[in-house]
Amino acid sequence: MSRATVIGLGKSGVAAARLLKREGWEVELSDSNTSETLLQQQQELAADQITVKLGQSLELNGANLPKLIVVSPGVPWDIPVLIKARQLGIETIGEMELAWRNLRSLPWVGITGTNGKTTTTALIAAIFQAAGLNAPACGNIGYAACDVALSNRGQGTGDRGQGDREKDKVTLIQNPKSKIQNSIDWVIAEISSYQVESSSSLAPRIGVWTTFTPDHLSRHKTLENYYNIKAKLLHQSELQVFNGDDPYLRQQGLSAWPDAYWTSVKGKDFLISEKGFYIEDDWVVEKLTATSAPEPIVKVSTLRMVGEHNQQNLLMAVATARLAGINRDAIARAIVEFPGVAHRLEHICTWEDIEFINDSKATNYDAAEVGLASVKSPAILIAGGEAKAGDDTGWLAQIQTKAAAVLLIGSAAPTFAQRLQEVGYYSYHIVETMERAVPKAAELAKEYQAPVVLLSPACASFDQYPNFEVRGDHFRQLCLAWAEAEKLQYNSILSSSLP
């Protein structure tokens, strides 16, 4: 029995280990961390005959080397052990690549980008599902990709040759089910640069690129390298959809992507191609070829989410759905019902005209700038966490324009305080933790008559939380608990004043 090693005991690593075990591999899973949760997972996986080594890193010594190494998304691709593995000729891939190898008989939509990819992915999945398609969202959102592969047991998975792929390469305006009869109709995958980097053969039917700004440079080193990693996914996609309102992508334009479908919220005159999707008179308009007549698809105003960036996300989602052959009625139904995405400008509650909004997914300056620009002003902003490299100029300008006060948490707090001072903004408070931030934010909202308390950190979460979801969940819990306490206090005062 061939031996495979999985690095990283997260959602993706566990799914990869179980998929490998099902395929007949002897599986070992390693994680350099240890905790009560990981120990519990270790016991659960042991029952499936998967060995888990905690608190230690993989070592490639001796004769009994693994034939395959599968890497979870959070594990850097260039750590010494992976470099050594490749030098030794050990096949090394990411969890997304493993899922692809098991699901490549199905059409994929692969969504990448610095910001906007989660909302776009969720909206695409909602549209496909409204059309009656079994199209799970996976990757950075929803299920681990290998979980989708596990659920597709016995449905014709596995590698196919180029001849088979060419046979299936039909015009996507036709019924997407015409060639695919498996239980899963489409795979809708949000794919980070980490996952693209570790995937050699991943080739979606439709590739979507939402935005491109500096991010993850501590891992990818240069902006050019970061761009090339994401571009790889689009180059390997049969059809390509681009956000034509993104300055960097627009600059690349037709010279880099001559066959792509471009989008623009600014109208037909701003399309950089003779085919694409744009907004005109509150309609998403489709122009599929240079000679075809424009066709209205769905009203923009039916989308509940606010902000121009969400209109950009809407355009890319509609473009993807139309290229997959989905009709207008299903698109309209999905968009009317779409509630938005957790942790991205998510409404938590309203108390005494103060709206509490969770934007924990804003883990860099650009996303946080968009978040602050999208809410009413003046706002009380909660920011901070583990700082990332990037240009904070636009974010700081947005704070000066829209924030009545800023509450700073996490390890970035002192640095952010200094940057705010440098631009002449002094209405900030270092509160360090979310427990202190929420009641203080509510107090300041009353003081400044601010209609919004916004958590939009502009930072990663790893200094205080396992991920941005846990950070956002904690914010939600604290907000709801505060509002409930206020309500009880109000009712108590009211009842005591009654005769």
Side-chain angles (χ1 to χ4, degrees):
M1 186 184 293
S2 298
R3 191 158 70 87
T5 295
V6 179
I7 303 178
L9 187 59
K11 176 175 69 173
S12 298
V14 170
R18 288 193 162 128
L19 181 58
L20 287 165
K21 187 67 180 177
R22 193 184 79 182
E23 290 183 332
W25 291 81
E26 178 190 341
V27 184
E28 178 180 288
L29 201 158
S30 68
D31 197 301
S32 57
N33 298 311
T34 186
S35 68
E36 286 297 322
T37 302
L38 294 179
L39 287 167
Q40 184 178 343
Q41 285 182 302
Q42 182 184 45
Q43 292 174 351
E44 291 170 1
L45 289 166
D48 295 331
Q49 296 182 309
I50 295 171
T51 302
V52 177
K53 294 185 176 180
L54 296 177
Q56 54 186 292
S57 299
L58 174 65
E59 294 184 2
L60 299 174
N61 300 317
N64 188 27
L65 296 175
K67 185 178 178 183
L68 174 69
I69 295 175
V70 179
V71 183
S72 297
V75 178
W77 193 234
D78 59 354
I79 56 175
V81 70
L82 295 184
I83 294 172
K84 183 177 180 181
R86 292 190 282 270
Q87 290 171 344
L88 291 169
I90 300 170
E91 186 177 18
T92 306
I93 63 173
E95 178 262 347
M96 184 66 70
E97 172 73 10
L98 178 64
W100 163 255
R101 293 181 183 187
N102 280 265
L103 294 169
R104 64 188 303 168
S105 60
L106 302 175
W108 284 50
V109 178
I111 303 97
T112 196
T114 309
N115 297 310
K117 57 184 180 291
T118 296
T119 301
T120 304
T121 302
L123 188 49
I124 289 170
I127 294 171
F128 278 55
Q129 289 159 19
L133 298 168
N134 183 6
C138 66
N140 268 14
I141 181 177
Y143 303 102
C146 281
D147 272 331
V148 176
L150 282 164
S151 73
N152 205 46
R153 182 193 300 263
Q155 298 293 329
T157 59
D159 289 354
R160 301 185 306 153
Q162 181 62 27
D164 293 324
R165 250 181 91 63
E166 287 302 318
K167 217 154 112 185
D168 274 357
K169 192 173 179 180
V170 295
T171 303
L172 296 185
I173 310 305
Q174 299 170 5
N175 180 2
K177 298 181 76 172
S178 60
K179 293 284 182 182
I180 306 298
Q181 299 301 325
N182 290 349
S183 59
I184 293 174
D185 299 303
W186 284 78
V187 178
I188 313 298
E190 179 187 328
I191 306 173
S192 71
S193 56
Y194 300 174
Q195 290 162 317
V196 177
E197 187 178 37
S198 59
S199 299
S200 57
S201 65
L202 175 61
R205 190 72 68 84
I206 304 172
V208 183
W209 196 337
T210 60
T211 55
F212 184 77
T213 54
D215 197 12
H216 305 302
L217 296 187
S218 59
R219 172 153 168 173
H220 298 313
K221 311 307 180 191
T222 68
L223 189 65
E224 182 183 18
N225 190 39
Y226 179 43
Y227 175 86
N228 288 336
I229 289 168
K230 288 192 173 293
K232 174 185 162 186
L233 180 74
L234 276 291
H235 281 305
Q236 293 184 182
S237 300
E238 292 180 30
L239 295 177
Q240 302 147 346
V241 175
F242 281 84
N243 175 9
D245 295 319
D246 180 84
Y248 197 100
L249 297 178
R250 190 176 183 85
Q251 185 181 2
Q252 304 304 308
L254 294 177
S255 59
W257 307 98
D259 297 322
Y261 290 85
W262 293 84
T263 66
S264 179
V265 300
K266 299 172 184 176
K268 182 179 179 181
D269 292 343
F270 286 83
L271 277 187
I272 63 174
S273 171
E274 292 184 323
K275 62 183 183 182
F277 293 75
Y278 57 91
I279 292 176
E280 186 173 86
D281 298 329
D282 192 40
W283 282 89
V284 171
V285 178
E286 163 189 288
K287 196 172 189 305
L288 284 177
T289 68
T291 56
S292 63
E295 289 189 47
I297 303 300
V298 67
K299 287 186 82 71
V300 177
S301 54
T302 57
L303 183 70
R304 291 193 225 172
M305 297 181 296
V306 298
E308 185 178 273
H309 65 293
N310 278 320
Q311 293 182 3
Q312 293 170 356
N313 298 336
L314 171 66
L315 277 173
M316 290 180 284
V318 172
T320 302
R322 292 297 290 160
L323 293 175
I326 293 175
N327 66 45
R328 294 170 179 77
D329 289 344
I331 293 170
R333 200 161 55 246
I335 289 166
V336 167
E337 296 171 358
F338 188 68
V341 175
H343 311 295
R344 189 65 177 123
L345 292 170
E346 175 193 9
H347 170 83
I348 301 299
C349 62
T350 302
W351 176 251
E352 291 189 354
D353 297 324
I354 303 167
E355 186 179 10
F356 293 80
I357 297 177
N358 169 23
D359 197 32
S360 182
K361 189 163 173 43
T363 60
N364 56 48
Y365 298 118
D366 297 288
E369 180 185 346
V370 167
L372 190 51
S374 300
V375 302
K376 297 174 186 175
S377 61
I380 307 300
L381 173 66
I382 301 172
E386 185 179 285
K388 288 182 176 181
D391 182 0
D392 63 2
T393 310
W395 178 63
L396 292 170
Q398 196 65 238
I399 288 174
Q400 290 174 292
T401 303
K402 295 198 70 168
V406 180
L407 301 177
L408 299 173
I409 63 172
S411 61
T415 305
F416 280 7
Q418 183 179 341
R419 289 293 292 131
L420 289 168
Q421 286 182 37
E422 288 170 4
V423 298
Y425 187 96
Y426 294 94
S427 184
Y428 67 84
H429 307 262
I430 295 178
V431 293
E432 297 179 343
T433 66
M434 199 74 77
E435 288 90 348
R436 294 176 186 165
V438 169
K440 182 67 175 177
E443 175 191 322
L444 290 171
K446 291 177 181 177
E447 180 183 334
Y448 288 101
Q449 296 185 311
V452 171
V453 168
L454 172 68
L455 168 67
S456 193
C459 282
S461 58
F462 305 123
D463 58 332
Q464 294 179 319
Y465 300 95
N467 52 52
F468 73 82
E469 292 99 336
V470 175
R471 175 172 63 190
D473 289 342
H474 190 207
F475 175 73
R476 183 190 299 110
Q477 292 161 6
L478 291 168
C479 290
L480 294 173
W482 178 86
E484 184 62 27
E486 288 287 300
K487 182 180 177 182
L488 290 171
Q489 185 178 2
Y490 174 81
N491 289 339
S492 176
I493 293 170
L494 189 66
S495 61
S496 65
S497 63
L498 293 174

